[in-house]
Structures are given as C-alpha cells and as structure tokens.
Amino acid sequence: LEEYNGARLAIRGEDIIRMGLKPGPDFKKILERVLYEKIDGRLASKEDERAFAGKLVARRLKKGS
C-alpha cells in the first residue's frame, strides 16, 4: 500500500454500462480489479483501463448467457 499513493481510475461506471453490463455488484468487482492493475503499474492510460475492464465485462456477460 505504500505504492498506492492515491491512484484513481479514469474510467467510471458509465463506461462499464456502455460496455453492456447492467449496474450491480459486478461493477465494484470490475472497478477494484482495474484499480489493482493500475496500482501494480500494468495500466497506464484510460484506454488501458477501458480495455482491461472490457475483458472483464465480456467474461461476466459470457457467464450470464
């Protein structure tokens, strides 16, 4: 947590809605995973965050089919 340093996401819930996921508990899980990846230095830009979140959303949507 010393490296956390107030990191904030560039994406929001509205971005996830546009990806096709309905609001619900999965939102928090997805945004947390994106934040962890950002803190770990694997996501540098909003586009990186959006792409990673898109993969997570696609998995959730596939599971729900």
Side-chain angles (χ1 to χ4, degrees):
L1 282 177
E2 289 177 32
E3 304 252 343
Y4 171 65
N5 198 23
R8 295 185 97 97
L9 294 178
I11 64 168
R12 301 281 177 245
E14 297 85 32
D15 296 298
I16 295 174
I17 291 170
R18 278 188 232 116
M19 293 175 194
L21 192 66
K22 293 181 180 171
D26 286 338
F27 267 50
K28 181 179 179 188
K29 293 174 188 173
I30 289 171
L31 291 173
E32 281 180 348
R33 290 274 314 274
V34 175
L35 180 61
Y36 296 154
E37 291 292 310
K38 183 170 186 154
I39 290 169
D40 287 344
R42 290 189 277 267
L43 304 175
S45 68
K46 183 173 184 171
E47 290 306 314
D48 292 341
E49 291 177 24
R50 192 177 287 137
F52 184 70
K55 290 177 186 177
L56 298 175
V57 168
R59 280 190 220 151
R60 294 277 195 294
L61 292 174
K62 189 176 181 183
K63 273 176 51 176
S65 307

